[in-house]
Amino acid sequence: MNVEIKISKRPIPYIKALKYLEKRVNDIKSKKGKDFIWILEHPTTYTAGVRASNEEILDKKIKIIPTNRGGKITLHNPGQKIVYFAINLNDKKKDIRNFIKFIEKSIIDFLKIYKIKSKSDRKNIGIWVKNKKIAAIGVKVSRWVAYHGCSINIKNNIKEYQKIIPCGLSNNKITSIKNEGILKINKVEENLKKTFVSNPVSYTHLRAHETD
């Protein structure tokens, strides 16, 4: 599968990123675009998935951006890496669960590079280090084009989760690579690209064409 990899060095506002992602999805649907993976960060932003409820907002002063992804309320902030996808499943295996497994395994392999042992959980989607969540996953599928993606806590300020009930969890159940005691966190974008591009879970190996 030939896929374009886009890596943004500066934080991209959430709405701007979402509009661009949706354009890429529409390009794939109209057979004008190729599969797409985008690695980036957002400024501090709280978003609500389709299963979110107002009870999950603890600080009523924060702005919540509604989205059409799966999941509940979550946080994006500097130091957290986002991996967005626009992947055409029409020419691959039409299996949403299998696509989620591809994301899960890629995150687990990425965390192994930093000596962090993690796991997935069928009942509580995301990636966990012991009993704490380190990565969230939210995917939407339209005409078998899968998009949105995952967020991975690298060295972001996890205290900002205290303003919400993140993904329906208590605030003390969120962690990051830095919070796990890893101080040397190098080559994050390079390692994300390597793990997501080389992961063969029911897909052919991706051939990357990188843009910025």
Side-chain angles (χ1 to χ4, degrees), residues 18-83:
L18 191 60
K19 287 180 179 178
Y20 183 75
L21 181 64
E22 289 174 343
K23 178 185 181 300
R24 298 300 300 250
V25 170
N26 289 330
D27 286 346
I28 292 173
K29 288 179 181 178
S30 59
K31 299 182 180 180
K32 296 178 182 177
K34 64 176 66 174
D35 289 341
F36 177 65
I37 297 176
W38 188 8
I39 300 169
L40 69 154
E41 293 186 8
H42 290 311
T44 300
T45 308
Y46 295 91
T47 68
V50 295
R51 295 193 295 113
S53 66
N54 288 332
E55 288 74 20
E56 296 163 10
I57 306 171
L58 301 180
D59 183 345
K60 303 302 181 183
K61 296 179 182 179
I62 63 174
K63 180 182 178 181
I64 303 289
I65 299 177
T67 76
N68 59 3
R69 62 162 171 80
K72 298 188 176 185
I73 290 177
T74 194
L75 164 73
H76 302 306
N77 61 350
Q80 177 197 75
K81 288 297 179 185
I82 311 295
V83 184

Side-chain angles (χ1 to χ4, degrees), residues 61-188:
K61 296 179 182 179
I62 63 174
K63 180 182 178 181
I64 303 289
I65 299 177
T67 76
N68 59 3
R69 62 162 171 80
K72 298 188 176 185
I73 290 177
T74 194
L75 164 73
H76 302 306
N77 61 350
Q80 177 197 75
K81 288 297 179 185
I82 311 295
V83 184
Y84 283 137
F85 304 90
I87 303 293
N88 189 357
L89 299 182
N90 285 286
D91 56 0
K92 304 172 189 67
K93 189 173 183 178
K94 290 184 176 180
D95 185 332
I96 306 307
R97 181 59 210 163
N98 201 69
F99 184 71
I100 297 294
K101 286 171 65 179
F102 156 74
I103 298 173
E104 290 172 339
K105 188 174 187 306
S106 297
I107 298 171
I108 290 169
D109 289 348
F110 167 75
L111 292 171
K112 282 180 183 177
I113 296 172
Y114 301 97
K115 311 300 181 184
I116 292 178
K117 185 177 180 180
S118 61
K119 62 182 179 180
S120 61
D121 185 337
R122 282 294 294 270
K123 293 183 179 179
N124 298 290
I125 192 167
I127 300 301
W128 300 76
V129 178
K130 297 179 181 177
N131 66 336
K132 293 186 177 183
K133 194 170 190 177
I134 197 168
I137 299 170
V139 173
K140 182 176 174 60
V141 178
S142 176
R143 286 163 47 188
W144 288 108
V145 178
Y147 65 108
H148 286 291
C150 63
S151 59
I152 308 168
N153 292 335
I154 309 294
K155 52 183 178 181
N156 49 322
N157 181 7
I158 61 175
K159 289 183 179 179
E160 292 185 327
Y161 281 100
Q162 293 174 1
K163 297 178 181 180
I164 59 172
I165 300 175
C167 304
L169 302 169
S170 62
N171 294 303
N172 62 358
K173 289 197 173 184
I174 300 294
T175 192
S176 66
I177 292 179
K178 183 179 179 180
N179 197 57
E180 291 300 307
I182 308 301
L183 301 179
K184 191 174 181 180
I185 312 172
N186 297 327
K187 299 181 179 180
V188 173

Side-chain angles (χ1 to χ4, degrees), residues 194-209:
K194 180 172 66 176
T195 51
F196 277 93
V197 168
S198 63
N199 198 322
V201 180
S202 296
Y203 297 96
T204 56
H205 288 279
L206 308 182
R207 297 189 302 275
H209 168 66

